Amino acid sequence: ADEEHNYVCTDFSQIMITTFIDRVTENSFYSMEILPSLLDLTISSQQNRQYQRLRDSILSQQRFDTMLQKRPSSPPIDDPTGWWKYSISCVKHKPTSRSWKDVLEIIR
């Protein structure tokens, strides 16, 4: 509990220069310049492992959520063909792809 926290982002700086000139005439001038920023990231091996586990868990959950709708409602003894099709589609399915029907259902 007394361990020191390892921050991922230890230093960040951004410089932005803005200029606004308001003339009496119709012409006014405004400019903004954003200079390159400095971002210092330091990731420990433990943080990297945690990130990888989290990423893998999210992908697994997405795969499960996507395939759950195709799961047969009857038990395997009553619908073995449906369960075989479901099993094969789980193996063949790309977890990052969705059908247009799925996309329409998500945005409703």
Side-chain angles (χ1 to χ4, degrees):
D2 292 344
E3 292 181 27
E4 185 178 324
H5 182 78
N6 293 324
Y7 291 96
V8 174
C9 183
T10 55
D11 190 19
F12 177 74
S13 64
Q14 179 70 58
I15 299 173
M16 183 171 30
I17 301 170
T18 59
T19 307
F20 182 72
I21 300 171
D22 189 12
R23 298 187 178 124
V24 178
T25 65
E26 296 175 6
N27 300 331
S28 36
F29 176 76
Y30 181 77
S31 73
M32 180 175 8
E33 180 181 0
I34 300 176
L35 301 178
S37 59
L38 169 69
L39 180 61
D40 186 15
L41 296 176
T42 306
I43 300 173
S44 69
S45 58
Q46 179 189 4
Q47 288 168 323
N48 188 36
R49 281 192 306 274
Q50 288 173 338
Y51 161 74
Q52 289 174 352
R53 281 190 213 132
L54 178 62
R55 181 199 61 209
D56 293 344
S57 296
I58 290 171
L59 286 173
S60 294
Q61 185 64 42
Q62 286 175 339
R63 188 178 303 117
F64 178 73
D65 290 345
T66 302
M67 296 310 296
L68 190 60
Q69 65 187 359
K70 296 181 180 180
R71 188 171 191 236
S73 56
S74 55
I77 197 94
D78 295 339
D79 186 12
T81 305
W83 278 91
W84 274 111
K85 288 180 181 179
Y86 172 68
S87 302
I88 291 168
S89 67
C90 284
V91 173
K92 289 175 53 177
H93 179 72
K94 296 178 184 172
T96 55
S97 68
R98 289 194 182 271
S99 68
W100 184 244
K101 179 184 162 193
D102 290 345
V103 172
L104 291 175
E105 197 165 311
I106 290 168
I107 61 174
R108 284 188 197 149

